[in-house]
Amino acid sequence: MKWTNLLYTEWLKVRRYWAFWGILFLVLIAYPGITYLFYSGYQDIRSTNRQLEVLLKFAIGSPFAFPEAWHTLAYVASFLVFIPGVLVIMLISNEYQYRTQRQNILDGWSRPQFLWAKMLDIGALSLILTLAYTLVVLVTGWVSPDIALAGIGVKSYFIGLFALITFNQLTIAFLFGFLFKRAFLALGFFMFYYIFPENILIQLSRWRWQTGNWYHFLPLEASDRMIPPPPYLARITNPTDYQSMMDAIPMHVGLSICYTAIIWVFCFWLLKRRDLS
Amino acid sequence: MSAILQINNIRKSYSSVRALNDVSLTVPTGSVYGILGPNGSGKTTLLGILMSVLRPQSGQFDWFDGQHGDAYRKQIGCLLETPNFYQYLSAEENLRITVSISDRGDESDIERVLKMVGLYERRKHRFGTYSLGMKQRLAIGAALLGNPSVLVLDEPTNGLDPVGIAEIRQLIKDLHLAGHTILIASHLLDEVEKVCTHVAILKKGIVLADGPVSDVMMDEDVVEMNATDAHALKTFLQAQGIATENDTELGLIRARFPTGTAKLDVLNQTCMERGIVLTHLVLRRKKLETRFFELTNA
């Protein structure tokens, strides 16, 4: 079966699923919304007085102008990736709740085809979110008073990084839905994992155990490190580390691709073995 | 008659419970094959394995002369256990998904099956708002999409009202006449007896009997008799070594013969020659219910 047919079938499943479109709409307005919040806050501070404007420009540059807008807004938007994760969990847990996963197989899909279809869902969602991010960056960069169109393409590689971080973290959300089957359980564990275990380990490793940088290799941390804090933030929080974080991006890209691949291979392996009851 | 499905030594366990124990069956092409058994006998597990949603521990099965892979399921209309559809979509939208996955049928076929199962007027309504009977009808409609040559139906009359049950039974008979092969799992003896040509009786995962319904039901010929002189008749039968019993309620004598050996014409003539005038002579087929209870010791 062609991938277009898998995608078409998935489209038939969500076309009239209003809860899905409602949440997607919220996600899509959250991106420009949060950008506007930061942008207007920054402009307000700048416009308070001339001295502060000069000081801000010196300290953090022009975070909403090209090329820095790519980095700033990728970093901000990466905090919101867990929200579309809810959509992914909804899509897979529905299949279990309605037993349509089993029915899809009875109707003729192979087990791998079912998973390929879900991967296409996540790919399509990642594409939509990446387009939204790109659009928000282009508009923000265009209206920024420090407009510098010459630099528009300089850091546009963040589009690819944002697409990858989105696909990677939506894949993690899918794994929780796939394993726990019930939406509330999957969502609970996903949110818990998103917020607590890795962050606790990181803080313990940094401040108590002081056991080196092993935590960079944890799945979510590796994913987050594909888009490190923008330079002006890094200058404030950890100035010496900024360049090393930028240099480590390729490694974290590789690591995230590996984690994503491992999760999908595991899902294919598990679905092949388990009974669909 | 060639076989459309060959099942060899299928075995399946759930932890310590053995759901199927070396099940072997042959389903002839064009038959209506009933899998009969009490709750928990392994009927749905067997169908689940045949449709590849459950994995057997051992054994194998071959559909359509040994087709392998997953493609064979597209040639089979299947209703397994419960009707499974997207609650938030209408009947029509759900069937479009079935068509898209199975490659069976098209838009006009969706209309045909919805009319066939009596849901055409409610085709735009959400599946979640349907009654159990309507859900069951939709599942049967989905199985009929593309007019597949094989249907696998697990308890197809579940949740239907008496009219619905009669309609589905008639539909199954019509499909059989049109040459379809139908595999039905049921715990309703009456259902199997009325629509099936072949039957397998399962108990605790073991096949107790299988074959054409007439063969499975009749392990002996029972002849109901009476005569003007009932005492003389009974004495004559016992002298011939034929087991008899009296049905005092109906005032009849029941004589039991090995399957296929009771010849009514010969029996009548022999009695006449001995001056015994028969007033009642009927070969009774054993009800499937009786046979089922005998086999399963229920």
Side-chain angles (χ1 to χ4, degrees):
Chain A
M1 187 176 274
K2 287 179 185 169
W3 69 270
T4 45
N5 189 272
L6 296 178
L7 197 59
Y8 174 68
T9 307
E10 290 299 296
W11 164 248
L12 290 176
K13 291 179 188 177
V14 298
R15 192 169 58 162
R16 298 200 192 277
Y17 186 19
W18 304 120
F20 173 85
W21 294 112
I23 295 175
L24 184 60
F25 176 73
L26 289 178
V27 173
L28 291 179
I29 60 169
Y31 281 10
I34 200 159
T35 302
Y36 180 73
L37 196 73
F38 282 109
Y39 177 79
S40 59
Y42 173 74
Q43 294 304 338
D44 285 350
I45 295 169
R46 267 178 58 156
S47 58
T48 312
N49 64 56
R50 177 78 189 141
Q51 274 183 322
L52 195 58
E53 184 182 1
V54 172
L55 188 67
L56 262 180
K57 206 160 183 184
F58 174 74
I60 66 176
S62 302
F64 296 100
F66 293 119
E68 214 49 63
W70 292 111
H71 193 166
T72 304
L73 298 186
Y75 183 70
V76 171
S78 69
F79 285 101
L80 301 178
V81 173
F82 73 94
I83 307 176
V86 175
L87 284 175
V88 171
I89 287 174
M90 269 169 63
L91 288 180
I92 183 66
S93 59
N94 274 351
E95 301 277 11
Y96 287 115
Q97 190 190 338
Y98 307 143
R99 302 184 85 192
T100 41
Q101 175 219 28
R102 173 178 153 116
Q103 191 62 43
N104 287 174
I105 307 296
L106 289 173
D107 287 337
W109 269 357
S110 65
R111 294 169 188 232
Q113 277 173 333
F114 177 83
L115 281 179
W116 283 117
K118 290 294 162 232
M119 201 192 285
L120 285 170
D121 283 348
I122 293 175
L125 263 178
S126 302
L127 186 68
I128 292 168
L129 298 172
T130 305
L131 285 174
Y133 153 76
T134 307
L135 201 65
V136 169
V137 173
L138 289 175
V139 171
T140 310
W142 186 265
V143 300
S144 170
D146 306 319
I147 189 163
L149 287 178
I152 194 168
V154 175
K155 289 193 172 181
S156 57
Y157 60 83
F158 275 99
I159 298 173
L161 292 175
F162 181 78
L164 192 56
I165 201 173
T166 306
F167 189 81
N168 170 258
Q169 295 194 10
L170 294 187
T171 295
I172 294 174
F174 175 81
L175 178 66
F176 280 90
F178 184 72
L179 290 178
F180 292 103
K181 298 182 181 178
R182 294 178 186 206
F184 70 96
L185 263 182
L187 268 174
F189 277 101
F190 174 62
M191 295 306 289
F192 177 81
Y193 180 71
Y194 208 86
I195 297 167
F196 294 111
E198 285 199 18
N199 283 326
I200 289 171
L201 280 174
I202 290 165
Q203 297 314 320
L204 282 174
S205 174
R206 266 184 177 168
W207 309 115
R208 181 165 285 268
W209 303 332
Q210 295 177 340
T211 46
N213 292 337
W214 61 271
Y215 58 84
H216 290 187
F217 301 97
L218 292 170
L220 271 180
E221 182 64 11
S223 179
D224 285 341
R225 283 177 174 271
M226 283 193 285
I227 301 178
Y232 49 89
L233 271 186
R235 271 202 290 273
I236 299 165
T237 55
N238 206 345
T240 53
D241 251 9
Y242 177 71
Q243 197 49 49
S244 63
M245 282 198 289
M246 291 302 285
D247 293 342
I249 287 176
M251 182 190 75
H252 289 116
V253 166
L255 214 54
S256 291
I257 290 172
C258 284
Y259 278 127
T260 307
I262 287 168
I263 290 171
W264 282 110
V265 168
F266 171 73
C267 291
F268 275 92
W269 174 81
L270 191 63
L271 188 62
K272 197 172 176 186
R273 287 174 61 91
R274 76 181 175 191
D275 284 339
L276 309 177
S277 50
Chain B
M1 197 182 273
S2 64
I4 204 156
L5 170 64
Q6 184 71 48
I7 305 169
N8 295 316
N9 304 107
I10 295 272
R11 192 177 282 199
K12 173 75 178 172
S13 299
Y14 296 108
S15 59
S16 62
V17 180
R18 182 158 284 183
L20 293 174
N21 199 351
D22 288 327
V23 171
S24 297
L25 295 171
T26 302
V27 177
T29 306
S31 63
V32 181
Y33 203 106
I35 298 173
L36 187 60
N39 292 333
S41 57
K43 304 182 295 290
T44 301
T45 301
L46 179 60
L47 294 189
I49 289 171
L50 297 177
M51 295 305 293
S52 295
V53 290
L54 300 177
R55 299 289 193 205
Q57 259 87 44
S58 62
Q60 71 266 349
F61 59 90
D62 278 325
W63 283 99
F64 307 108
D65 248 350
Q67 274 190 26
H68 291 287
D70 294 293
Y72 76 88
R73 289 197 301 278
K74 293 189 176 188
Q75 301 174 54
I76 301 171
C78 179
L79 156 61
L80 195 60
E81 265 184 300
T82 50
N84 304 319
F85 293 100
Y86 298 91
Q87 303 277 327
Y88 51 86
L89 296 179
S90 69
E92 207 173 44
E93 289 157 354
N94 269 300
L95 292 188
R96 278 196 195 107
I97 293 173
T98 310
V99 168
S100 176
I101 291 174
S102 66
D103 293 331
R104 286 189 283 113
D106 53 24
E107 202 62 31
S108 63
D109 209 38
I110 290 174
E111 193 179 314
R112 177 185 70 86
V113 299
L114 283 171
K115 283 178 178 166
M116 197 182 254
V117 297
L119 286 175
Y120 187 70
E121 303 302 320
R122 296 285 302 270
R123 68 190 185 283
K124 303 276 184 200
H125 293 211
R126 279 175 51 238
F127 177 75
T129 64
Y130 279 15
S131 68
L132 178 59
M134 291 165 76
K135 288 176 178 175
Q136 192 75 359
R137 283 167 181 271
L138 183 62
I140 292 167
L144 293 172
L145 278 168
N147 204 21
S149 61
V150 179
L151 287 164
V152 171
L153 305 173
D154 185 12
E155 311 281 3
T157 54
N158 243 2
L160 298 181
D161 57 23
V163 177
I165 291 173
E167 283 173 4
I168 295 305
R169 285 180 183 168
Q170 190 55 49
L171 179 69
I172 291 169
K173 286 177 185 171
D174 293 345
L175 290 166
H176 173 230
L177 287 175
H180 295 252
T181 305
I182 304 161
L183 195 55
I184 301 179
S186 180
H187 63 272
L188 302 176
L189 300 152
D190 180 49
E191 184 163 281
V192 172
E193 191 167 15
K194 280 185 175 150
V195 300
C196 293
T197 58
H198 292 69
V199 65
I201 296 178
L202 275 180
K203 186 187 177 187
K204 292 183 178 171
I206 297 169
V207 179
L208 299 178
D210 67 293
V213 172
S214 54
D215 289 1
V216 172
M217 282 164 62
M218 294 188 34
D219 63 334
E220 58 185 4
D221 292 346
V222 178
V223 179
E224 285 179 358
M225 307 170 79
N226 209 348
T228 47
D229 186 349
H231 180 72
L233 173 62
K234 190 161 187 185
T235 308
F236 163 69
L237 291 171
Q238 284 171 344
Q240 302 297 311
I242 299 167
T244 60
E245 64 185 51
N246 285 336
D247 185 334
T248 49
E249 200 177 320
L250 296 172
L252 297 171
I253 296 166
R254 284 206 181 86
R256 298 180 181 281
F257 298 83
T259 308
T261 61
K263 307 282 186 227
L264 297 189
D265 51 346
V266 174
L267 200 57
N268 193 17
Q269 191 179 351
T270 315
C271 286
M272 282 297 283
E273 285 166 8
R274 280 163 181 72
I276 301 167
V277 180
L278 296 179
T279 56
H280 184 95
L281 182 65
V282 176
L283 177 63
R284 286 278 178 221
R285 299 183 73 193
K286 198 178 276 186
K287 296 273 291 176
L288 183 57
E289 184 176 318
T290 314
R291 184 72 181 128
F292 177 78
F293 286 129
E294 279 174 10
L295 284 167
T296 59
N297 300 318

